[in-house]
Amino acid sequence: YYLLNITLPVIPLFIGAAIPIIYNIILVFYLRHLQNHIFNPDIKRKVYWTANLQITFDLGLLTYLLHFSGGFENPFSVFFIFHMVIASILLPKKNAYMQAASTALMFGAVMGLETWLLIPHYHLGGFIPDQICLLGSMYFFGKFSVFVFTLYITVYLTSTVADRLRRHKLELASANILLQEHDKVKSKYILVLTHDIKADLSSIQSCLNVVTHGITGTISIKSREMISRAERRSMKLLEFVNDLHFLSLLRTSENFIMDGLNLLETAREEWKTVQGTINKKGVDASIAVEGFDFNYTGNKFLIKKLFMYLLRNAAGDTPHGGKMHLRLEENRQQNMFQI
């Protein structure tokens, strides 16, 4: 049979092309079965040895195909390099060198047997003018030496880079774990600190409240005004400390607190907190709802804070006589809502 004016034994090549299709289908189902138990150490070993066997089988199959398509004459013999790169990335360095040794053994044996005419050589007539196998043993050993050197230098370079990348990845993972531990320590410190500050602020507020209500005696109007301002400021500061305390509690907690809540009701509750600013500035404000069900699961505290800061900023930045519009839109297909 002829292909591009090159004589080729078609049937052995078709058989060699059909074999990987069959065994890859088998491997897909086998690996899918193993994937359900991937965290099992025995399963991990099975996956590791499956990768080893697959690479070895691929190398043997490539040797088979090259034998029936010219051997050393076939320029596609460089494809062995790709397998060496894959083996060096997926396998430990020792196993990658073993794959290089098995490649040199398999391909070298076939090519040597062809050179010494112990097995048939399929010459690429019309592509290569002379049969390489007739050039003698010196040519075979010279080209084979270069072939083996190329395999091993490829494995060395690729495995060295892969090892460095793995070490770098492990170092980054360790650094990330260390940062998370430091962050937890910091959050725990802030948790304790805010707890103490809350207690002091609550005491200050109680004292100011006693004075403003005249329990300690009559005070002047000016003094009452200043104390009231201090009380309002301490109240805002206490709200801030409460938020910081809660966020620190979330960061140090192993489980994120989730609640069932209605987003529309939450939005309307927070809307009331800015109603005074809206009325004072004469803002034309409205709420629009697109969707029928706004029951979600989330952290109630954070959702309320989201609406609070969003609406306060909107009310504060809207000019006198301006317009302020809030729209809640539900997207059930993506299980999300938009503001």
Side-chain angles (χ1 to χ4, degrees):
Y1 296 92
Y2 293 89
L3 179 63
L4 300 177
N5 205 29
I6 301 173
T7 305
L8 292 173
V10 176
I11 294 178
L13 291 176
F14 275 148
I15 293 173
I19 290 173
I21 296 175
I22 296 171
Y23 88 78
N24 273 296
I25 292 174
I26 295 172
L27 276 176
V28 166
F29 286 104
Y30 178 65
L31 291 174
R32 281 182 181 176
H33 169 71
L34 295 181
Q35 192 175 14
N36 297 327
H37 313 281
I38 193 63
F39 295 107
N40 187 326
D42 292 333
I43 299 300
K44 286 185 176 181
R45 281 193 290 271
K46 286 183 180 180
V47 173
Y48 166 76
W49 283 110
T50 300
N52 256 302
L53 289 173
Q54 184 178 6
I55 292 173
T56 304
F57 191 82
D58 286 344
L59 292 170
L61 186 62
L62 182 57
T63 302
Y64 169 87
L65 291 171
L66 288 172
H67 167 62
F68 286 103
S69 57
F72 267 152
E73 296 175 357
N74 194 325
F76 288 102
S77 58
V78 297
F79 275 26
F80 281 111
I81 304 300
F82 300 146
H83 284 78
M84 293 302 100
V85 171
I86 293 171
S88 301
I89 293 173
L90 296 180
L91 304 176
K93 187 179 290 187
K94 177 183 176 181
N95 294 82
Y97 280 115
M98 289 177 62
Q99 292 291 349
S102 64
T103 300
L105 182 63
M106 286 188 294
F107 192 57
V110 172
M111 298 309 105
L113 293 173
E114 288 184 12
T115 300
W116 296 308
L117 303 179
L118 297 176
I119 60 174
H121 171 71
Y122 299 91
H123 175 54
L124 295 181
F127 181 70
I128 301 293
D130 299 315
Q131 294 192 43
I132 288 179
C133 68
L134 300 178
L135 296 178
S137 300
M138 289 298 294
Y139 178 82
F140 164 75
F141 284 114
K143 189 163 185 177
F144 180 68
S145 300
V146 173
F147 176 75
V148 173
F149 174 78
T150 304
L151 290 181
Y152 276 90
I153 198 68
T154 301
V155 169
Y156 171 75
L157 292 175
T158 308
S159 60
T160 300
V161 173
D163 283 346
R164 289 183 179 179
L165 289 175
R166 289 190 193 103
R167 285 198 299 270
H168 186 58
K169 184 178 180 180
L170 289 174
E171 289 172 359
L172 287 176
S174 300
N176 187 45
I177 292 173
L178 189 61
L179 285 173
Q180 288 178 354
E181 290 176 354
H182 287 173
D183 186 63
K184 280 192 174 182
V185 171
K186 181 193 68 176
S187 297
K188 288 180 179 178
Y189 172 74
I190 295 175
L191 187 64
V192 174
L193 186 64
T194 51
H195 181 270
D196 294 340
I197 294 175
K198 277 175 59 180
D200 290 338
L201 282 174
S202 297
S203 298
I204 292 171
Q205 266 205 316
S206 298
C207 294
L208 293 173
N209 193 36
V210 167
V211 174
T212 54
H213 283 78
I215 297 175
T216 59
T218 306
I219 57 173
S220 64
I221 297 176
K222 190 67 176 177
S223 297
R224 183 183 298 276
E225 181 184 344
M226 296 300 293
I227 293 173
S228 297
R229 290 170 66 181
E231 186 183 17
R232 287 194 298 272
R233 292 289 183 179
S234 64
M235 176 65 77
K236 287 186 177 181
L237 185 57
L238 184 59
E239 288 179 2
F240 172 76
V241 173
N242 280 330
D243 292 348
L244 186 58
H245 180 80
F246 186 81
L247 290 174
S248 300
L249 186 63
L250 289 178
R251 294 179 71 88
T252 54
S253 176
E254 295 295 332
N255 298 317
F256 198 70
I257 302 171
M258 304 294 282
D259 308 294
L261 72 157
N262 186 287
L263 295 175
L264 182 58
E265 291 178 2
T266 305
R268 284 174 174 166
E269 286 177 8
E270 296 305 317
W271 182 273
K272 294 177 183 177
T273 63
V274 297
Q275 194 67 51
T277 304
I278 292 172
N279 296 336
K280 185 177 180 180
K281 298 175 72 172
V283 173
D284 180 12
S286 61
I287 299 180
V289 178
E290 294 184 17
F292 303 97
D293 183 15
F294 286 93
N295 292 314
Y296 280 81
T297 300
N299 185 274
K300 188 177 293 186
F301 173 83
L302 295 179
I303 296 294
K304 289 185 71 174
K305 290 299 177 185
L306 169 66
F307 281 113
M308 182 187 74
Y309 290 124
L310 181 68
L311 293 172
R312 282 186 182 180
N313 290 336
D317 294 337
T318 303
H320 287 269
K323 292 184 178 182
M324 177 177 161
H325 182 67
L326 174 67
R327 185 181 69 182
L328 291 177
E329 182 178 350
E330 186 181 33
N331 188 335
R332 275 290 169 187
Q333 291 181 347
Q334 298 183 14
N335 194 27
M336 61 181 291
F337 71 95
Q338 297 171 321
I339 303 175

